[in-house]
Each structure stands twice: as structure tokens, then as C-alpha cells.
């Protein structure tokens, strides 16, 4: 049904989106907890930084990543000299760019669910002998599950289609960083690519739709389990 | 003994209390809303730090500001049943019940099976909290707290969020808990009926201070309680043992010192202990030995005090054996009978007026 090139773009998109969520989600949980429960100097700044990718043009995010994580960049140079890891123009780099763009989506969803948790339940767990970490793992985290799930699935669906930041930071390398939207863009640019572009567009449309429906459905069934 | 000296200041509220309550038993914290009951119970749980003072239970110091001791709630071993139950919505009933049990470092004296049986939870164990009624939720919360093997149990108005039918359903479980738990129970309520039924010791709070504290029968006679519980709740509370039951008349005879009081028998057997609330408005006084009356409950006593109670009533304190009763009569009746301190009187107790005011009581042997 799909040509080898199309398969590769789809596989790359799925893999990169999955990696960006797998790495981003634990970090998003941490940041959401800090933003909701933390009382520290610079909380507002952190809040703004996390949400910046929502308002910046993706190409700006890609450019900033290039400056920081490029081969010449302070972090990128250190990663390459210390671990031999190169991010720019690689799959890992595409995952990083995708993760940064989708990060606010994860944090927002997790934060909402954390804010709706009744602190009284954690108090009750405390009187039952649960220490701070124990309470977080056995009470707070399970009650945040709907938000974590919704954030993860939404970020995954959005990550499948991340374009601007990926092409700026990781370029358009066939078989490495040419994900669905990049393949679609390439097809549009080529004179005989109309049919391919249409097929890729349809594929992206279906993936996005499926992701959003799944997020909603999973969220609802989890909420039902919690009796809400 | 629960020994409390606690002071804490908030923006618009100061709590400053001290009392020593015997343990085990049910220590009731009674007062209007805003009197400081929940603040005090949160201090007992360790959820709210003291500004000054100390809390000690038997030989364990839970808080002591002077020595910098403030055992955190998770290490206190104090069970807490919240007004709103606070069951964990992501766990089923069994998961909730065993949450504290799995974490306790104290030796297990109440097992899962015992607690499930005590609270009648057998049919609920697989349900989730949102599938439970309000009364069932409170029973599960009670079981969850008990299974954490606490050294003390705190109940914060466990009946307040329930309707009357659900309250009546939960109260017998609380009575069983009182009679079977070997640990002190602190029971917060603003409903005096619950306290009459459950408490052994009462601390009456008013505006963040202790208005009066003592055994239930003595607190029931105190003027400070009258001001808070209201005139309708005024009355003596007597403990007594059933001396005999008469199956033909349907009466039970309660031994009060050397005298006996006949009451309607509601499933009582000889030897049972009961707690009677004799409301002041229900008692009738007579200066002559009553004859030809339908009333079967008659006690002989002596007036020790008369006190104006509002404009048109007099509150009469009568010594009967080693107890005191309170009777409210009209000013006119008191004048007509020329009642005064030292007068001998007969106190008439209409058996039907005691309906709903006779409660089961822990016998003296069970508390020791």
C-alpha cells in the first residue's frame, strides 16, 4: 500500500515522536510538580520558558537549538567531545527538537491534573504512615495519570508533524531526519510529487485524528476508573 | 492518659487549651463550629504544628515545643478519620484498607479479617470508593485507620456529612469500636446527641479555649455546657446496670445506687450496662410520695440547688444516691410547691420519655 520511501518517513516520524515523548514525559512531570507545588525564586521565569515554544516560530526554536546543541555550540560541542554524541542533523537531534516543541503540551496537561488533586488525600496517606516519596508514588502519581496520559498522547500526535524546528536543527536527511512532514514538503517542492504529497497529507491527517481520539478515549476511561 | 497543653495563634484565631483525659475511652471534643475542634485534632495528628505546648499520650511524647519534639504525622501512629472520608479513588476498598497496614511498623493487633468483620465490610471489599454510600465510605475510612495499628484514633465529625438514616446506620459500629478498641478515641462533634451516646470524657471548647472538661456525667451537669448545647440538651446522664428484666410488663429495672428505675426494655438483659440521658424537661417533681400514677419510674432524692433558667423556668438540681439529676420546671410550680434546697422530692421519669435516650455502655470490667 505504501512505497518504501513512505514507510521510511512514517517509521521515522513514529520513532522520533516516541523518543521525544519517552524522554520528555518524566521531565514534564518534574517541571509540572515544580510549577504547581514549588515555592522558589524564578518560578514564573521557568513557567514562561517552558511555554515559549508555544508562541515562538518553530524556526526560532530550531535556530536556538542549533546555537546551543550544534557541533560548535557549548552543549553540542561538549556532548560530542565527551560522549561522541552528535545531535545536529541526526535522528536524536530531530527527537530533541520535537520534544522541545511538544514539551509545553505535556506540562500543561500534567499540571492541570496535578492542580485538581485534593491535597487532603495526601494528608490522609501521611497519617497512614506514608513518607514524602511514598505518597508521591502511590497517591499523587496515580491520580495524575489521566493528565500524564493525555499530555503524552497529545505530544506524540503533535510530534509526528513537527516541521519547522526539525528542519532547522536536524535538516532534511533521507532515512535519518526526513519525517512525514519533511517528506511531504520535499514532495511538494518536486515537479512530479503531487500524488505523493496527497498520500502523505492523507496519512498525516489520519495519524493526527487517531492520536487525538485515542487521547480522549484513554483519558475518559481513566477518569471513569477514578470515579469522576 | 492524653495530656495536652497546646497554644497556636492564627491571624484571626487563637487556640489555647489544656486538659488531661483518661485513656482508653472516647474523648469527645465538643463545641460550635469555629471553636477550634478541628485545629486541635490536626495538632494531635501532627498535621498542624504547635506554637507552644506539648502533647503526650501515655508515656509517649508526640509534640513538645520546649524540647523541639514534633513527630511527623507519618511516624506518629495516630489514625485519622476525616469528615469527608478521603478514600483513595484509584484503589478499591481492599487497597484502601491495607494502605496503612502495609506501612505500619507497629505489631499487628487488628488483622484485616477482624476489622472487615467488625465494620461489616465483607460485601464491599472489591468496590471502588465512588460505588459506596456515604456511610459505607466512613466505615471503610474507619477500617483503614484502624488497620494502620494506631496508638490513638481521631474521628473528625464522621457523621456530619451523612443524613439521619445513615447516621443511625453508622452509630452502632462506632459503639462497637468504642467497646472493642483498646486505644483512645478522640471524637469531634458539634452534635451533643452523638457525644451522649459515645463519649466517656468530654472537652467542651468555646472560642479556642476549654470551657469545661471532665467525665461525661459531670460535664452534662455543667452550666458551661448548657450555654453551648442549648436548653433542649440539658439533662443528667446516668450509668447503671440492668438489675432485672420483667418480660410480662416489658420493663427493665436499672440499679441506681440502692434504688431502681424502671424503663422500657429494648433488648436489654440482666447484667447489661446502660447509659441513660434524663432530659431536664422530661422530669416531674413531687413533694409527696406519688400514688395512683401511670409513671413507673420513681426515684427519691433531695434538692441541692435551684437556679433560674430563663424568665419562666427553674432548673432544679436533685441529689439521688451518689448522682445528681436536673429537672426544669416552671417558676410557678416551684413557688407553689415551695421548693427549696434541702427539700426531699420524688423524681418521676416517664418510661416512654426515655425512648431514644437509652444507650449501650461499656461495663467497668471492659474498660480496665
Amino acid at each position: 500500500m505504501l512505497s518504501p520511501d513512505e514507510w521510511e518517513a512514517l517509521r521515522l516520524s513514529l520513532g522520533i515522536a516516541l523518543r521525544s515523548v519517552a524522554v520528555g514525559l518524566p521531565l514534564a512531570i518534574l517541571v509540572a510538580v515544580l510549577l504547581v507545588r514549588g515555592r522558589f525564586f524564578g518560578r514564573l521565569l521557568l513557567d514562561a520558558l517552558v511555554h515559549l515554544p508555544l508562541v515562538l516560530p518553530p524556526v526560532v526554536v530550531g535556530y536556538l537549538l542549533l546555537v546551543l546543541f550544534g557541533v560548535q555550540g557549548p552543549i553540542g560541542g561538549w556532548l560530542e567531545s565527551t560522549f561522541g554524541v552528535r545531535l545536529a542533523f541526526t535522528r536524536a537531534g530531530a527527537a530533541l527538537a520535537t520534544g522541545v516543541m511538544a514539551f509545553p503540551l505535556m506540562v500543561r496537561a500534567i499540571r492541570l491534573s496535578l492542580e485538581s488533586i485534593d491535597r487532603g488525600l495526601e494528608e490522609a496517606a501521611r497519617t497512614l504512615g506514608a513518607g514524602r516519596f511514598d505518597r508521591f508514588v502511590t497517591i499523587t502519581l496515580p491520580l495524575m495519570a489521566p493528565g500524564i496520559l493525555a499530555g503524552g498522547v497529545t505530544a506524540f500526535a503533535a510530534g509526528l508533524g513537527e516541521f519547522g524546528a526539525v528542519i532547522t536543527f536536524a535538516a532534511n536527511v533521507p532515512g535519518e531526519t526526513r519525517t512525514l512532514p519533511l517528506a511531504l514538503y520535499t514532495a511538494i517542492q518536486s515537479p512530479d510529487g503531487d500524488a505523493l504529497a496527497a498520500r502523505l497529507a492523507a496519512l498525516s491527517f489520519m495519524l493526527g485524528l487517531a492520536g487525538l481520539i485515542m487521547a480522549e478515549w484513554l483519558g475518559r476511561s481513566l477518569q471513569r476508573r477514578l470515579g469522576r | 492518659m492524653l495530656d495536652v497543653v497546646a497554644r497556636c495563634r492564627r491571624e484571626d484565631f487563637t487556640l489555647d487549651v489544656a486538659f488531661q483525659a483518661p485513656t482508653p475511652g472516647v474523648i469527645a471534643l465538643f463545641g460550635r463550629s469555629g471553636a477550634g475542634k478541628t485545629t486541635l485534632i490536626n495538632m494531635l495528628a501532627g498535621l498542624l504544628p504547635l506554637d507552644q505546648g506539648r502533647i503526650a499520650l501515655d508515656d509517649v511524647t508526640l509534640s513538645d515545643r520546649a524540647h523541639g519534639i514534633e513527630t511527623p504525622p507519618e511516624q506518629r501512629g495516630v489514625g485519622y478519620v476525616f469528615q469527608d472520608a478521603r478514600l483513595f479513588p484509584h484503589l478499591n476498598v481492599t487497597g484502601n484498607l491495607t494502605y496503612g497496614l502495609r506501612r505500619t511498623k507497629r505489631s499487628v493487633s487488628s488483622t484485616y479479617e477482624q476489622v472487615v468483620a467488625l465494620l461489616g465490610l465483607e460485601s464491599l471489599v472489591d468496590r471502588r470508593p465512588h460505588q459506596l454510600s456515604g456511610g459505607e465510605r466512613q466505615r471503610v475510612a474507619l477500617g483503614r485507620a484502624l488497620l494502620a495499628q494506631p496508638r490513638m484514633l481521631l474521628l473528625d465529625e464522621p457523621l456530619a456529612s451523612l443524613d439521619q438514616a445513615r447516621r443511625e446506620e453508622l452509630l452502632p459500629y462506632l459503639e462497637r469500636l468504642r467497646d472493642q478498641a483498646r486505644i483512645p478515641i478522640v471524637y469531634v462533634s458539634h452534635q451533643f446527641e452523638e457525644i451522649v451516646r459515645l463519649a466517656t470524657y468530654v472537652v467542651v471548647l468555646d472560642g479556642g479555649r476549654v470551657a469545661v472538661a471532665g467525665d461525661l456525667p459531670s460535664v452534662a451537669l455543667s452550666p458551661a455546657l448548657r450555654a453551648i448545647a442549648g436548653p433542649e440538651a440539658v439533662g443528667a446522664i446516668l450509668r447503671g446496670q440492668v438489675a432485672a428484666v420483667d418480660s410480662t410488663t416489658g420493663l427493665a429495672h436499672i440499679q441506681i445506687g440502692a434504688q431502681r428505675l424502671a424503663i422500657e426494655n429494648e433488648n436489654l438483659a440482666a447484667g447489661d450496662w446502660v447509659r441513660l440521658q434524663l432530659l431536664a424537661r422530661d422530669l416531674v417533681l413531687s413533694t409527696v410520695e406519688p400514688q395512683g400514677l401511670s409513671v413507673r419510674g420513681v426515684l427519691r432524692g433531695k434538692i441541692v440547688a435551684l437556679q433560674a433558667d430563663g424568665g419562666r423556668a427553674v432548673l432544679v438540681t436533685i441529689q439521688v444516691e451518689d448522682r445528681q439529676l436536673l429537672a426544669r420546671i416552671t417558676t410557678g410550680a416551684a413557688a407553689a410547691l415551695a421548693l427549696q434546697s434541702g427539700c426531699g422530692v420524688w423524681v418521676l421519669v416517664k418510661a416512654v420519655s426515655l425512648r431514644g435516650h437509652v444507650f449501650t455502655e461499656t461495663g467497668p470490667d471492659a474498660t480496665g
Side-chain angles (χ1 to χ4, degrees):
Chain A
M1 202 172 90
L2 295 177
S3 75
D5 282 356
E6 289 166 3
W7 266 119
E8 192 171 69
L10 176 62
R11 203 170 45 76
L12 271 176
S13 266
L14 291 171
I16 286 169
L18 198 65
R19 272 167 87 173
S20 71
V21 172
V23 176
L25 211 48
L27 204 61
I29 294 172
L30 182 75
V31 169
V33 170
L34 280 176
L35 289 178
V36 175
R37 300 278 172 91
R39 292 284 165 268
F40 56 93
F41 181 77
R43 198 168 59 95
L44 274 177
L45 185 68
L46 178 66
D47 197 357
L49 275 176
V50 163
H51 285 88
L52 220 44
L54 278 185
V55 293
L56 282 180
V59 65
V60 174
V61 175
Y63 170 75
L64 287 174
L65 286 173
L66 210 49
V67 169
L68 286 173
F69 291 92
V71 186
Q72 311 290 327
I75 306 176
W78 175 76
L79 280 175
E80 179 145 25
S81 62
T82 317
F83 301 105
V85 174
R86 179 182 284 213
L87 287 174
F89 313 121
T90 65
R91 239 178 270 189
L96 173 67
T98 306
V100 169
M101 290 304 295
F103 198 65
L105 297 176
M106 297 190 248
V107 173
R108 284 177 81 87
I110 295 168
R111 186 179 177 164
L112 273 178
S113 72
L114 182 59
E115 278 168 346
S116 71
I117 292 177
D118 173 10
R119 298 297 302 263
L121 294 173
E122 291 165 60
E123 232 172 35
R126 208 173 172 201
T127 65
L128 292 165
R132 185 190 285 264
F133 183 71
D134 189 357
R135 291 200 292 277
F136 182 75
V137 172
T138 59
I139 305 296
T140 318
L141 215 47
L143 293 176
M144 280 160 74
I148 295 173
L149 199 86
V153 176
T154 315
F156 180 77
L160 290 173
E162 181 47 42
F163 178 78
V166 172
I167 202 167
T168 313
F169 181 55
N172 188 359
V173 186
E176 185 68 22
T177 65
R178 184 175 289 173
T179 57
L180 274 179
L182 271 65
L184 174 57
Y185 172 76
T186 313
I188 296 169
Q189 298 296 311
S190 63
D192 51 355
D194 285 355
L196 181 62
R199 288 166 60 88
L200 288 169
L203 191 58
S204 297
F205 179 83
M206 285 186 293
L207 278 175
L209 197 63
L212 288 175
I213 290 173
M214 193 166 78
E216 185 66 22
W217 178 78
L218 280 171
R220 280 190 190 185
S221 65
L222 260 185
Q223 295 281 14
R224 222 182 355 260
R225 275 173 68 86
L226 294 177
R228 288 183 196 146
Chain B
M1 189 173 69
L2 177 64
D3 187 357
V4 177
V5 182
R7 214 161 292 155
C8 119
R9 193 175 297 233
R10 294 287 172 271
E11 280 168 29
D12 51 347
F13 180 75
T14 306
L15 185 80
D16 187 356
V17 297
F19 62 88
Q20 293 185 324
T23 57
V26 176
I27 302 157
L29 303 182
F30 176 67
R32 303 185 187 99
S33 32
K37 307 185 295 287
T38 300
T39 305
L40 180 53
I41 207 172
N42 280 335
M43 285 178 167
L44 295 176
L47 293 170
L48 207 66
L50 306 180
D51 287 351
Q52 248 181 304
R54 63 187 293 270
I55 297 169
L57 176 62
D58 300 323
D59 48 0
V60 183
T61 303
L62 298 174
S63 309
D64 189 344
R65 287 300 292 169
H67 295 93
I69 301 170
E70 185 70 57
T71 315
E74 58 267 37
Q75 287 161 25
R76 247 175 213 230
V78 172
Y80 198 146
V81 177
F82 298 88
Q83 195 170 334
D84 48 353
R86 300 194 186 174
L87 298 183
F88 304 131
H90 59 299
L91 301 176
N92 66 8
V93 168
T94 301
N96 271 281
L97 285 173
T98 55
Y99 191 88
L101 180 65
R102 281 184 269 123
R103 285 165 175 79
T104 187
K105 291 176 190 76
R106 296 157 54 79
S107 63
V108 175
S109 56
S110 315
T111 65
Y112 179 80
E113 288 74 20
Q114 283 169 344
V115 168
V116 166
L118 173 76
L119 297 169
L121 301 174
E122 294 86 350
S123 61
L124 308 176
V125 290
D126 293 326
R127 296 218 203 141
R128 289 193 163 263
H130 67 94
Q131 298 167 314
L132 303 176
S133 73
E136 289 167 342
R137 258 177 238 167
Q138 286 296 3
R139 263 150 67 200
V140 174
L142 208 53
R144 182 176 71 174
L146 272 178
L147 279 170
Q149 318 298 324
R151 61 177 105 232
M152 173 164 72
L153 198 56
L154 310 175
L155 309 183
D156 186 11
E157 310 221 20
L159 304 179
S161 58
L162 308 179
D163 58 41
Q164 193 56 39
R166 297 274 164 257
R167 282 182 199 194
E168 291 302 325
E169 176 193 302
L170 193 62
L171 272 163
Y173 289 105
L174 293 175
E175 284 173 335
R176 270 164 84 179
L177 182 66
R178 175 194 64 194
D179 299 342
Q180 293 182 23
R182 287 168 209 87
I183 52 168
I185 297 171
V186 177
Y187 188 95
V188 169
S189 182
H190 66 273
Q191 298 286 334
F192 194 62
E193 307 100 83
E194 293 168 21
I195 284 168
V196 166
R197 204 159 156 176
L198 295 168
T200 48
Y201 189 90
V202 185
V203 178
V204 180
L205 293 175
D206 191 22
R209 291 170 177 274
V210 176
V212 58
D215 291 333
L216 174 65
S218 67
V219 168
L221 299 172
S222 93
L225 176 80
R226 258 172 255 159
I228 294 164
E232 292 308 301
V234 173
I237 289 161
L238 301 184
R239 297 175 79 232
Q241 199 171 14
V242 179
V245 291
D246 189 336
S247 54
T248 53
T249 57
L251 294 176
H253 298 273
I254 313 296
Q255 197 76 41
I256 311 279
Q259 303 185 43
R260 283 183 180 187
L261 177 66
I263 65 168
E264 277 190 324
N265 185 6
E266 290 171 79
N267 300 320
L268 294 172
D272 286 352
W273 282 85
V274 290
R275 178 182 290 191
L276 306 174
Q277 185 183 26
L278 302 179
L279 288 175
R281 58 152 203 241
D282 288 341
L283 299 189
V284 174
L285 299 183
S286 169
T287 50
V288 294
E289 179 156 16
Q291 282 176 334
L293 285 177
S294 65
V295 175
R296 310 311 315 158
V298 180
L299 294 168
R300 179 92 175 88
K302 191 197 264 187
I303 293 176
V304 290
L306 288 141
Q307 198 188 345
D309 183 30
R312 284 166 295 181
V314 176
L315 202 58
V316 186
T317 310
I318 307 117
Q319 188 79 36
V320 175
E321 305 284 323
D322 57 344
R323 340 277 172 97
Q324 290 191 336
L325 303 183
L326 289 174
R328 184 191 288 124
I329 58 173
T330 59
T331 314
L337 292 175
L339 295 182
Q340 52 181 293
S341 239
C343 277
V345 285
W346 280 265
V347 183
L348 282 63
V349 184
K350 202 175 172 191
V352 290
S353 75
L354 281 171
R355 268 184 206 161
H357 297 281
V358 180
F359 309 109
T360 67
E361 174 70 278
T362 320
D365 41 329
T367 50

